[in-house]
Amino acid sequence: MTRMALSDKLAILSDAARYDASCASSGTARRDSRDGKGLGSTEGSGICHAYAPDGRCISLLKILMTNFCIYDCAYCINRVSSHVRRARFSPDEVVQLTIEFYRRNYIEGLFLSSGIIRSPDATMSDMVQIARRLREGENFRGYIHLKTIPDAAPELIEQAGLYADRLSINVELPTDNSVKAYAPEKNPVTIRKAMGDVKSRKEVAAEKSYTGKRGKRFAPAGQSTQMIVGADGSTDATILGQSTRLYGAYQLRRVYYSAFSPIPDATAQLPLIKPPLVREHRLYQADWLLRFYGFGVDEITAARPDGNLDLEIDPKLAWALQNRALFPVDVNRASKDMLLRVPGFGTRTVGRILSTRRHRGLRYGDLLQMGAPVKKAQPFIIARDWTPGALTDSANLRARFAPPPQQLSLL
């Protein structure tokens, strides 16, 4: 059998990793090697580009250890029955690539996932070995994110948390019934138990002993999960409701939504909902509103009778159009909660409004100087020198913001 070159493996396994989300490295402990000790950093500007909530660009080597897999999940391109080109890195090769890419200033960390080879324990053991060698053998201080395997022994997942900054365990699909239908070899109960174990270990690590010392550092950037959307018939209301429960139950840093794309030999089984990438984007927007703007799932998904988000306009605007009786709001008098519901206003803009109006009344020009996106907010606000008049209730208000219809190509 011909030995595959490392560059060929990298091409295959980095491409296969693009189906894995959740690779931003925000929230971890601050470490660097500016003191001359160790290698790598979790900070700074940086072959995957992810963005932290504060806007920093994070460069990661994002690969699968292997795209061989013993499971046959219908939505996965790397399922055992899929006819894709296969490759596998050894632990030595992953360590070598990570260090070489860092020394060339290509990356700031590693995002490592894998198909299941031989057994969950064997695969997880190799991933832990890679993380251990980077930390202890190479003294690597950069970011490490490991996609852990819920069926692996709890001790292996615990070891992974001692070396990785973030752990993630995929819930796969929005409902247990969907997982059973499309990934019958995976058990939703086992997945949730593994997520609960990670949460518990992180809590224990944060506790102080009677001497005042904390336990061993465990996944300081927390845990996240990934959910495939569009591979089953779940509505956006179901997806967002499940995400809300996951955030609360497991103290997740993030739920990542991954749009299902048509996969050879599987599309006949799966009810693809189009357009997948637009839907994924709207779910991220809705998720943000749930976590930081005080919205509820029922509010966000009420604009359409089918429980799905409007794909043409963002969820906050869709909600505002459905609740015009609450608008316009006076930027000089409205509560923080109500200002956060104005289309176009983000948390930073609302903070500036609240700070400025303590000293003087706000005019339309003041909002412009703050950088507020007033074009979207115009129909929903009142300022000292601005009132929308009949604009708030105009019949064509939605059309002002929805994208214009496009002529389809005849070729």
Side-chain angles (χ1 to χ4, degrees):
M1 183 176 179
T2 305
R3 185 180 180 86
M4 186 178 291
L6 188 60
S7 58
D8 292 334
K9 291 182 183 181
L10 181 60
I12 294 170
L13 296 174
S14 60
D15 181 69
R18 64 192 172 96
Y19 297 100
D20 273 298
S22 63
C23 57
S25 63
S26 60
T28 188
R30 292 177 176 268
R31 297 188 305 274
D32 61 51
S33 51
R34 287 177 292 184
D35 57 4
K37 301 176 182 178
L39 180 70
S41 170
T42 59
E43 304 181 63
S45 58
I47 263 224
C48 151
H49 296 289
Y51 290 90
D54 60 5
R56 289 181 301 118
C57 180
I58 310 296
S59 300
L60 303 176
L61 174 60
K62 183 182 177 186
I63 54 175
L64 297 186
M65 189 173 70
T66 181
N67 63 344
F68 284 98
C69 193
I70 61 176
Y71 293 161
D72 201 26
C73 305
Y75 50 83
C76 182
I77 189 66
N78 298 314
R79 66 193 185 279
V80 68
S81 61
S82 180
H83 302 294
V84 296
R85 193 179 180 199
R86 308 282 183 173
R88 178 182 173 186
F89 284 128
S90 68
D92 287 343
E93 289 172 327
V94 176
V95 172
Q96 175 190 343
L97 280 171
T98 304
I99 298 304
E100 288 187 359
F101 275 52
Y102 174 77
R103 284 177 172 151
R104 295 173 185 175
N105 200 30
Y106 292 165
I107 62 167
E108 298 170 73
L110 171 68
F111 175 94
L112 184 64
S113 184
S114 183
I116 311 300
I117 46 173
R118 300 195 306 277
S119 71
D121 282 356
T123 307
M124 195 72 242
S125 179
D126 283 350
M127 295 176 74
V128 170
Q129 180 186 345
I130 290 167
R132 180 190 297 117
R133 288 183 54 188
L134 283 169
R135 293 294 191 216
E136 297 181 350
E138 303 292 341
N139 205 8
F140 182 71
R141 298 188 180 188
Y143 177 80
I144 297 178
H145 181 146
L146 294 183
K147 274 288 185 78
T148 52
I149 302 164
D151 292 320
E155 308 83 60
L156 289 170
I157 297 179
E158 183 173 7
Q159 290 177 44
L162 299 177
Y163 300 109
D165 294 276
R166 178 173 290 181
L167 300 179
S168 55
I169 300 171
N170 290 353
V171 296
E172 305 296 345
L173 294 164
T175 68
D176 288 2
N177 287 337
S178 294
V179 175
K180 293 173 183 176
Y182 300 125
E185 294 151 306
K186 296 181 178 179
N187 187 335
V189 175
T190 302
I191 293 170
R192 288 194 289 270
K193 182 181 182 304
M195 293 172 71
D197 288 345
V198 170
K199 174 193 170 186
S200 297
R201 290 188 178 98
K202 185 165 175 57
E203 289 174 341
V204 169
E207 292 177 356
K208 292 183 179 180
S209 68
Y210 70 93
T211 62
K213 293 184 178 180
R214 296 187 184 276
K216 288 186 177 180
R217 162 190 175 276
F218 185 89
Q223 70 167 319
S224 58
T225 192
Q226 180 175 342
M227 189 185 300
I228 308 295
V229 297
D232 65 351
S234 296
T235 65
D236 293 333
T238 298
I239 292 167
L240 293 169
Q242 175 70 324
S243 295
T244 300
R245 289 187 287 273
L246 291 171
Y247 277 120
Y250 305 109
Q251 299 178 1
L252 299 181
R253 291 301 299 265
R254 195 71 186 271
V255 174
Y256 288 86
Y257 306 101
S258 181
F260 169 72
S261 299
I263 299 172
D265 305 327
T267 51
Q269 306 174 45
L270 299 169
L272 176 63
I273 298 176
K274 296 181 179 180
L277 292 178
V278 176
R279 188 186 189 202
E280 176 186 299
H281 178 59
R282 295 298 181 214
L283 284 167
Y284 276 119
Q285 291 177 318
D287 182 281
W288 204 256
L289 295 179
L290 291 171
R291 291 193 291 147
F292 302 112
Y293 287 77
F295 281 84
V297 173
D298 292 341
E299 293 179 294
I300 292 175
T301 57
R304 288 168 52 106
D306 61 0
N308 288 315
L309 299 170
D310 192 324
L311 298 183
E312 293 187 335
I313 56 177
D314 70 77
K316 190 199 281 193
L317 177 59
W319 176 84
L321 291 173
Q322 288 292 113
N323 294 272
R324 299 192 202 193
L326 300 176
F327 297 100
V329 298
D330 189 337
V331 295
N332 289 296
R333 298 176 180 272
S335 67
K336 177 182 178 181
D337 290 344
M338 199 62 212
L339 288 172
L340 285 171
R341 291 181 174 237
V342 174
F345 282 8
T347 55
R348 191 171 300 176
T349 294
V350 170
R352 289 170 179 166
I353 289 173
L354 295 174
S355 178
T356 304
R357 78 184 192 183
R358 294 192 191 104
H359 309 288
R360 58 185 174 83
L362 289 164
R363 297 178 179 274
Y364 187 85
D366 295 323
L367 297 175
L368 287 172
Q369 289 184 344
M370 291 177 185
V374 290
K375 184 175 181 181
K376 183 177 285 188
Q378 278 178 346
F380 305 100
I381 59 170
I382 294 172
R384 289 188 65 179
D385 59 347
W386 168 260
T387 179
L391 181 59
T392 307
D393 296 318
S394 64
N396 67 340
L397 184 57
R398 185 183 185 280
R400 284 168 56 99
F401 301 106
Q406 295 182 347
Q407 173 66 49
L408 296 177
S409 173
L410 300 177
L411 302 178

